[in-house]
């Protein structure tokens, strides 16, 4: 009665899940397709013994990708990164390493040289910095005639590169000046945002400027050209820090955007050698119905010809790790400008003689505006450089670097929300689709090694596909792209991979190609295949694409599925294979033209097909499987498989008696060939109703009773634990027992071990927004043809995915029963 344990666990999860409704009602986008690593058209580079491929520099002009790893820099062919052009090794001298270990750092991890900075200086020269055993060092590197060379006039790297290889930092090279935001001491306790140049500038070492920051990203936006105000170019810095403005008992992290002006030279007396233009504001990205602070993880600046059209894309995850939700928000230049150029400032107020509160400053603001770049208005006042700024302005900006207004995202809501994976990096490509409109395609790397390719169509979130970049899973730690080559490059601790923006031929039918809404692909009627739109050989008249709408009604009806004949021996079980074309499609089976009653315990459907139990002569007939995908209110059916199921004709040894002693897969049916074992099918959808129906009634009642008892017990235990304020681990029953054994007859029966993975299956959330609800288990390819039905079944029971730790448990055993 091992099934009891499973049932008990399930019931308990169902009941305990009731109070987690909020979590489940949050919108969630599921990828239309999940592509496993081996199908992902992925190219890999790694060198044995080398790790932490954390820094990348794309040079489209010379077709080369430079990669900084631990103690090595590589030049790789951008078309195929598995082709190495040149390498430079940069190890730590023994003396340095000893110094580092003497200070208590780990010899094999911390006291090494992690390349963290790679910037182009000119066509043949680069600037490179490494942590160099907690003693950051920089150098010039040349790339000539395919040969990388490290020049040995090393420079001090303090203020340019972090000491600690595990610390995030950001830098950008502007006109030979390295702007860097990093810790500038061994302990990592003194953060600074520095311009390294003849006129070095840095931030004040004050909590109101930077308060235990985690630096994320930095880039420059040129806005001097065509600027009516005569304004300056600006460097934008993204980071998270401990908020000073909220007086909570606990530390509260907030996301920030800060900016400085390129022409800043510091102040004359006040703010000498310090930024006079450092202003920061909160960066807001909030998910409706979810009251948690999201923290910025990475940023991509999508630049436009007109700087005013610049869009900042940022990925966010919650501050605490308990909630597995991620979001992308996009910010317009206008919103950012409004906050910094016109917004109010925050000011500290001392309350009750010791406590400081930050509130909106409503007093008089000095002129020129504190923190503004030198613009026409300032010049009109005879102020040509920041050194000319009056003390009043400088003192004000020194004491009020934080803006009162927050920067809010375009449309006041995220571009994408997804559960079940943690976003780590983002890059964005803008492409004009055949409808002439530009689309911003987001490529988002995750902590578990996937790349989510997503588009937001006027508020509608859509993940075209998720591709598994790293198997075994590894976090995406660096991400870059080449729009010209149509390639994404991702680095992880152990390797670098390259993936094309799109693999159109993966879409095999017109329906699949058009419903994918992939701006890079269109169905070519002339050759009947899904082709890349960049490939201009096709006649545009022949191309079908509907990126904005996902309307596939112009696809020709041409699918001709060959009916396969399958024979069976009465009394056995049969498996008929069929998969939906996408995670958003559902499977629909018909027998002799009428729908199969799925409530019938005779059938069990899952994402790989259907199981027929105890087949009898009466079950013979024509079985057809359709994949039905809904897009923009229309249903698109597509026949995926057709079977003619017939009873075994031949007599002799195949008597009922003989059948029961056969192992699955050993039955040789006429006209059918034995298949070699395929990997176990992993239906990720678990439908308790079907499970229950197929079980014996008496057993069922008993199991439910035991289940409720067990649940009460667990809930009691939970309550106890809670009352004692113990850290409460999630209920994670591990059930590893075969619940029952079913012999399977027929050809494809080699897939006899069906493991259920219940993680995430009960995220039965109602449809929110325009996005699909549901979830995926990222470590496996997932389909959810049963999802909608289950959602209905479980409407009143909602379980957060984090509670679902029910790992695989065997459903159909390998051996058939005698
Ligand atoms: C993925 O690759 C495997 C093995 O190479 C193959 O059997 C499978 O059909 C492929 N899946 C898809 C969706 O192309
Ligand atoms: C470097 O890679 C190793 C091996 O995967 C990993 O354990 C380590 O955490 C990485 N170090 C950093 C600084 O990312
Ligand atoms: C600023 O520049 C203008 C014109 O270039 C010049 O006339 C003026 O004297 C300068 N002001 C100062 C304070 O240097
Ligand atoms: C299988 O079906 C036959 C009738 O179709 C029935 O007599 C038999 O009991 C069934 N066997 C099982 C194990 O349910
Ligand atoms: C389906 O049709 C075939 C041929 O018309 C018939 O022999 C079979 O009994 C039918 N099966 C069912 C279940 O109605």
């Amino acid at each position: 009665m091992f099934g009891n344990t499973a049932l008990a666990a399930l019931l308990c999860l169902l009941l305990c899940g009731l109070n987690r409704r909020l979590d489940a009602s949050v919108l969630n986008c599921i990828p239309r397709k999940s592509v496993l690593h081996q199908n992902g058209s992925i190219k890999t580079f790694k060198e044995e013994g080398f790790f932490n491929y954390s820094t990348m520099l794309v040079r489209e002009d010379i077709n080369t990708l430079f990669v900084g790893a631990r103690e090595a820099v590589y030049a790789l062919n951008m078309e195929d990164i598995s082709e190495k052009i040149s390498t430079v090794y940069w190890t730590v001298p023994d003396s340095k390493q000893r110094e580092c270990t003497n200070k208590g750092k780990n010899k094999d991890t911390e006291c090494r040289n992690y390349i963290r900075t790679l910037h182009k200086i000119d066509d043949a020269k680069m600037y490179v910095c490494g942590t160099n055993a907690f003693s950051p060092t920089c150098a010039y590197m040349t790339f000539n005639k395919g040969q990388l060379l490290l020049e040995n006039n090393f420079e001090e790297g303090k203020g340019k590169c972090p000491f600690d290889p595990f610390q995030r930092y950001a830098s950008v090279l502007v006109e030979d000046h390295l702007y860097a935001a990093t810790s500038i001491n061994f302990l990592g306790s003194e953060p600074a945002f520095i311009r390294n140049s003849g006129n070095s500038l840095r931030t004040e070492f004050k909590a109101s400027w930077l308060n235990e920051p985690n630096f994320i990203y930095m880039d420059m936006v040129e806005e001097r050209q065509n600027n009516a105000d005569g304004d300056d170019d600006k460097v934008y810095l993204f980071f998270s820090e401990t908020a000073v403005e909220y007086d909570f008992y606990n530390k509260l992290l907030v996301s920030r955007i800060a900016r400085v002006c390129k022409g800043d030279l510091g102040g004359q007396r006040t703010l000498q050698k310090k930024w006079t233009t450092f202003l920061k504001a909160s960066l807001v990205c909030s998910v409706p119905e979810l009251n948690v602070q999201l923290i910025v993880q990475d940023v991509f600046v999508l630049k436009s010809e007109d700087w005013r059209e610049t869009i900042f894309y940022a990925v966010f995850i919650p501050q605490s790790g308990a909630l597995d939700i991620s979001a992308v928000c996009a910010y317009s230049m206008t919103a950012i400008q409004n906050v910094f150029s016109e917004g109010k400032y925050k000011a500290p107020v001392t309350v009750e003689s010791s406590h400081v509160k930050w509130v909106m400053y409503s007093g008089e603001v000095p002129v020129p505006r504190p923190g503004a770049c030198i613009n026409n208005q300032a010049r009109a006042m005879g102020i040509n450089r920041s050194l000319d700024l009056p003390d009043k302005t400088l003192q004000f900006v020194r004491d009020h670097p934080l803006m009162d207004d927050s920067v809010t995202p375009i449309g006041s809501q995220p571009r994408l929300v997804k559960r079940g994976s943690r976003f780590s990096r983002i890059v964005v490509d803008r492409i004009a689709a055949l409808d002439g409109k530009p689309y911003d395609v987001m490529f988002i790397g995750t902590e578990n090694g996937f790349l989510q390719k997503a588009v937001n169509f006027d508020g509608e979130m859509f993940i075209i596909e998720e591709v598994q970049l790293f198997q075994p899973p590894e976090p995406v730690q660096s991400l870059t792209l080449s729009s010209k080559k149509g390639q994404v490059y991702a680095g992880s601790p152990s390797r670098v991979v390259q993936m094309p923006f799109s693999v159109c031929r993966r879409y095999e039918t017109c329906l699949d190609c058009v419903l994918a809404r992939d701006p890079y692909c269109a169905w070519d009627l002339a050759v009947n295949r899904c082709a890349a739109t960049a490939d201009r050989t096709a006649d545009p008249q022949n191309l079908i694409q509907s990126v904005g709408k996902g309307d596939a009604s112009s696809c020709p009806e041409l699918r001709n599925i060959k009916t396969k004949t399958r024979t069976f021996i009465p009394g056995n079980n049969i498996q008929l294979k069929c998969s939906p074309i996408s995670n958003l499609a559902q499977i629909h089976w018909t027998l002799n033209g009428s729908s199969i009653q799925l409530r019938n315990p005779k059938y069990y459907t899952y994402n790989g097909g259907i199981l027929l139990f105890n087949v009898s002569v009466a079950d013979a007939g024509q079985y057809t499987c359709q994949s039905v995908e809904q897009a923009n209110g229309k249903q698109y059916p597509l026949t995926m498989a057709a079977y003619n199921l017939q009873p075994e004709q031949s007599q002799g040894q195949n008597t009922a008696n003989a059948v029961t002693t056969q192992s699955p897969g050993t039955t040789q049916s006429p006209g059918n060939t034995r298949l070699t074992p395929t990997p176990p099918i992993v239906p990720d959808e678990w439908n308790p109703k079907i499970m229950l129906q197929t079980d014996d009634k008496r057993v069922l009642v008993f199991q439910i009773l035991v289940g409720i008892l067990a649940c009460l017990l667990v809930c009691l235990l939970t309550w106890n634990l809670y009352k004692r304020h113990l850290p409460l681990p999630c209920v994670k029953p591990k059930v590893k027992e075969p619940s029952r054994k079913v012999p399977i007859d027929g050809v494809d029966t080699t897939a006899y071990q069906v493991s259920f993975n219940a993680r995430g299956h009960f995220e039965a959330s109602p449809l929110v927004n325009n996005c699909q609800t549901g979830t995926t288990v990222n470590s496996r390819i997932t389909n959810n043809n049963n999802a909608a039905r289950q959602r209905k079944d479980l409407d009143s029971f909602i379980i957060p995915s984090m509670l679902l730790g029910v790992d695989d448990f065997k459903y159909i055993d390998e051996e058939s029963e005698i």
Side-chain angles (χ1 to χ4, degrees):
M1 210 48 69
F2 291 115
N4 291 341
T5 333
L7 264 172
L10 265 171
L11 280 167
C12 190
L13 285 173
L14 287 170
L15 294 174
C16 296
L18 281 172
N19 57 357
R20 300 305 302 244
R21 186 180 276 279
L22 175 84
D23 179 38
S25 66
V26 169
L27 80 168
N28 173 30
C29 206
I30 58 169
R32 182 173 179 273
K33 292 249 180 174
S34 304
V35 182
L36 291 182
H37 183 265
Q38 70 263 29
N39 305 60
S41 305
I42 287 164
K43 295 193 173 98
T44 301
F45 170 80
K46 65 185 276 193
E47 188 170 22
E48 229 35 77
F50 286 82
F51 297 97
N52 311 98
Y53 300 81
S54 55
T55 314
M56 294 197 279
L57 172 66
V58 163
R59 288 280 305 274
E60 285 174 337
D61 53 336
I62 51 170
N63 211 8
T64 307
L65 176 75
F66 295 94
V67 177
R70 192 173 76 185
E71 297 180 348
V73 179
Y74 303 95
L76 308 174
N77 179 357
M78 257 177 75
E79 311 269 357
D80 180 356
I81 59 163
S82 61
E83 196 186 298
K84 186 171 81 179
I85 301 167
S86 182
T87 318
V88 150
Y89 297 105
W90 183 4
T91 51
V92 180
D94 284 345
S95 56
K96 266 262 151 28
Q97 201 168 39
R98 266 197 306 278
E99 226 174 87
C100 176
T101 49
N102 286 346
K103 286 177 187 163
K105 299 292 176 190
N106 185 300
K107 179 168 182 277
D108 297 315
T109 57
E110 294 165 306
C111 299
R112 307 286 290 268
N113 190 19
Y114 293 78
I115 308 300
R116 300 294 300 274
T117 309
L118 262 181
H119 291 296
K120 175 187 165 180
I121 290 179
D122 61 35
D123 281 353
K125 216 166 186 183
M126 277 167 289
Y127 197 59
V128 48
C129 303
T131 59
N132 202 29
F134 267 78
S135 159
T137 306
C138 299
Y140 293 90
M141 198 170 60
T142 58
F143 185 63
N144 259 328
K145 302 196 177 75
Q147 201 63 42
L148 269 180
L149 202 72
L150 191 68
E151 296 184 349
N152 51 13
N153 45 344
F154 295 110
E155 294 181 355
E156 167 70 61
K158 187 175 142 179
K160 300 174 183 171
C161 177
F163 286 66
D164 185 343
F166 289 92
Q167 225 169 39
R168 294 273 314 253
Y169 104 113
S171 74
V172 65
L173 192 79
V174 178
E175 291 164 13
D176 286 356
H177 299 155
L178 185 73
Y179 292 68
T182 178
S183 274
I184 56 171
N185 62 350
F186 181 86
L187 292 175
S189 56
E190 192 180 344
F193 172 24
I194 296 182
R195 180 176 66 204
N196 295 275
S197 65
N199 302 306
S200 277
L201 283 189
R202 47 166 294 178
T203 42
E204 280 268 12
F205 186 43
K206 287 172 91 172
S208 56
W209 283 49
L210 294 170
N211 193 18
E212 300 169 31
N214 187 28
F215 299 113
I216 298 294
Y217 189 83
M218 194 189 289
D219 205 352
M220 193 203 38
V221 177
E222 289 183 54
E223 55 178 84
R224 251 192 326 194
Q225 243 111 54
N226 314 322
N227 196 314
D229 302 326
D231 211 339
D232 197 4
D233 298 340
K234 296 181 183 75
V235 173
Y236 290 88
L237 169 67
F238 294 82
F239 61 103
S240 57
E241 67 173 349
T242 307
V244 288
E245 67 268 35
Y246 303 114
D247 45 358
F248 282 129
Y249 183 69
N250 288 324
K251 279 187 180 180
L252 185 74
L253 278 187
V254 286
S255 307
R256 300 276 201 221
I257 175 175
R259 64 117 175 98
V260 294
C261 305
K262 199 179 75 180
D264 199 342
L265 296 170
Q268 192 72 262
R269 286 179 299 274
T270 309
L271 290 178
Q272 210 179 44
K273 294 195 180 296
K274 303 279 159 62
W275 295 109
T276 64
T277 53
F278 180 84
L279 290 178
K280 63 178 181 179
S282 290
L283 195 63
V284 173
C285 182
S286 59
V287 175
E289 302 174 53
L290 194 68
N291 189 20
V292 294
Q293 196 86 31
L294 295 175
I295 303 302
V296 63
Q297 297 301 304
D298 192 32
V299 176
F300 183 85
V301 182
L302 189 68
K303 292 180 183 168
S304 253
E305 230 149 78
D306 182 356
W307 63 271
R308 291 171 194 86
E309 314 264 285
T310 305
I311 296 181
F312 297 79
Y313 279 88
V315 292
F316 291 81
I317 61 172
Q319 176 170 1
S320 75
L323 217 57
D324 62 343
I325 193 156
S326 300
V328 177
C329 280
Y331 304 89
S332 69
M333 196 72 204
T334 327
I336 293 167
Q337 284 239 311
N338 283 346
V339 169
F340 286 124
S341 307
E342 282 147 42
K344 294 252 195 297
Y345 301 82
K346 264 201 198 311
V349 188
T350 308
V351 283
E352 290 156 16
S353 75
S354 63
H355 190 67
V356 173
K357 241 177 126 78
W358 285 75
V359 296
M360 190 179 90
Y361 178 82
S362 48
E364 200 182 319
V365 174
V367 185
R369 185 179 161 87
C373 306
I374 302 298
N375 53 18
N376 292 342
Q377 196 195 347
R379 285 186 200 102
M381 294 169 70
I383 297 166
N384 299 341
R385 304 169 305 164
S386 65
L387 293 163
D388 307 332
L389 285 168
D391 270 347
K392 253 185 151 176
T393 293
L394 294 176
Q395 277 158 4
F396 189 92
V397 70
R398 182 192 61 198
D399 299 335
H400 307 91
L402 178 61
M403 306 308 298
D404 186 56
D405 293 323
S406 303
V407 175
T408 51
I410 300 170
S412 302
Q413 62 172 27
R415 287 271 161 131
L416 185 71
V417 177
K418 186 178 182 299
R419 291 205 287 160
S421 48
R422 289 165 74 81
F423 294 170
S424 61
R425 295 290 185 274
I426 185 170
V427 292
V428 182
D429 182 50
R430 181 168 288 174
I431 181 188
L434 295 183
D435 61 12
K437 289 192 200 137
Y439 291 94
D440 290 356
V441 183
M442 302 172 260
F443 296 92
I444 304 151
T446 69
E447 293 279 340
N448 61 353
F450 274 77
L451 194 71
Q452 311 284 341
K453 174 174 156 189
V455 185
N456 188 302
F457 304 107
D458 291 329
E460 179 195 5
M461 303 172 189
F462 192 81
I463 302 181
I464 297 168
E465 61 182 3
E466 59 175 2
V467 179
Q468 191 180 27
L469 294 179
F470 303 111
Q471 178 63 294
E474 281 187 289
V476 175
Q477 285 180 334
S478 52
L479 196 62
T480 186
L481 85 172
S482 163
S483 293
K484 209 161 126 193
K485 303 269 186 242
Q487 302 283 333
V488 180
Y489 306 91
S492 77
S494 82
R495 66 199 64 205
V496 189
V497 297
Q498 164 190 7
M499 193 198 86
F501 282 177
S502 230
V503 183
C504 299
R505 66 185 144 76
R506 271 208 295 260
Y507 308 118
E508 285 174 11
T509 59
C510 179
L511 212 56
D512 198 14
C513 181
V514 178
L515 291 181
R517 304 171 75 178
D518 188 327
Y520 303 100
C521 301
W523 185 259
D524 188 344
L525 287 167
V527 289
N528 264 330
R529 64 183 183 87
C530 197
T533 50
D535 175 12
R536 292 276 172 214
T537 52
D539 178 358
Q541 296 291 314
N542 284 333
L543 294 179
I544 304 177
Q545 189 190 56
S546 175
V547 176
K549 295 217 164 59
D551 182 356
S553 42
S554 42
C555 273
E557 200 57 67
L558 48 74
R559 189 115 163 149
N560 215 347
I561 288 286
K562 231 176 112 189
T563 303
K564 291 183 199 138
T565 300
R566 293 280 305 276
T567 57
F568 65 88
I569 295 154
N572 274 16
N573 304 321
I574 279 269
Q575 178 197 30
L576 300 176
K577 286 191 168 179
C578 176
S579 298
I581 56 168
S582 87
N583 296 337
L584 306 184
Q586 296 188 31
I587 283 297
H588 183 80
W589 283 92
T590 56
L591 167 55
N592 279 1
S594 39
S595 290
I596 281 184
Q597 194 38 258
L598 288 175
R599 304 256 162 217
N600 188 338
K602 179 159 213 79
Y603 306 109
Y604 173 74
T605 55
Y606 61 99
N607 66 24
I610 188 167
L611 290 175
L612 283 70
F613 299 115
N614 190 15
V615 199
S616 69
V617 177
D619 292 317
Q622 178 80 21
Y623 287 79
T624 310
C625 164
Q626 277 190 327
S627 157
V628 185
E629 186 159 346
Q630 189 166 326
N632 250 321
K634 275 192 201 145
Q635 301 240 326
Y636 297 98
L638 186 67
T639 305
M640 302 303 285
Y643 297 94
N644 183 8
L645 197 64
Q646 294 298 333
E648 181 89 70
Q649 292 305 310
S650 65
Q651 313 293 308
Q653 102 265 45
N654 274 344
T655 61
N657 194 22
V659 168
T660 50
T661 58
Q662 281 166 351
S663 293
T666 55
T667 315
Q668 295 288 324
S669 306
N672 286 327
T673 47
R674 168 105 155 74
L675 296 179
T676 48
T678 51
I681 304 160
V682 188
D684 78 320
E685 295 301 333
W686 159 282
N687 193 325
K689 286 240 164 125
I690 286 187
M691 223 356 228
L692 301 184
Q693 281 162 7
T694 49
D695 272 339
D696 185 82
K697 277 248 170 67
R698 261 175 325 145
V699 177
L700 177 73
V701 172
F702 181 66
Q703 284 178 331
I704 289 176
L705 279 174
V706 173
I708 289 170
L709 274 174
C711 182
L712 283 173
L713 203 73
V714 173
C715 286
L716 202 70
L717 189 75
T718 317
W719 184 74
N720 262 317
L721 281 168
Y722 178 72
K723 277 288 155 186
R724 280 177 225 151
H725 304 286
L726 285 177
L728 187 64
C730 287
V731 187
K732 259 194 187 172
K734 271 235 187 299
V735 189
K736 281 272 180 200
E737 306 294 343
S739 60
R740 63 179 193 147
K741 300 177 174 189
V742 182
I744 302 179
D745 184 16
V747 185
D748 300 320
T749 52
T750 37
Y752 25 74
Q753 184 188 322
V754 181
S755 7
F756 282 100
N757 189 312
R759 249 171 302 159
H761 294 282
F762 295 99
E763 295 188 326
S765 28
L767 283 161
V768 186
N769 263 17
N770 294 325
C771 188
Q772 311 286 334
T773 55
T775 189
T776 55
V777 180
N778 275 329
S779 56
R780 288 172 183 172
I781 192 154
T782 56
N783 288 322
N784 63 334
N785 53 322
N786 287 328
R789 178 154 46 84
Q790 278 182 34
R791 249 174 250 135
K792 226 173 284 155
D793 291 344
L794 294 166
D795 236 351
S796 48
F797 301 109
I798 288 149
I799 294 187
S801 60
M802 59 193 182
L803 274 181
L804 291 166
V806 186
D807 272 326
D808 313 342
F809 61 90
K810 290 172 193 167
Y811 173 57
I812 298 174
D813 196 74
E814 184 164 334
E815 296 302 317
S816 62
E817 226 171 27
I818 298 179

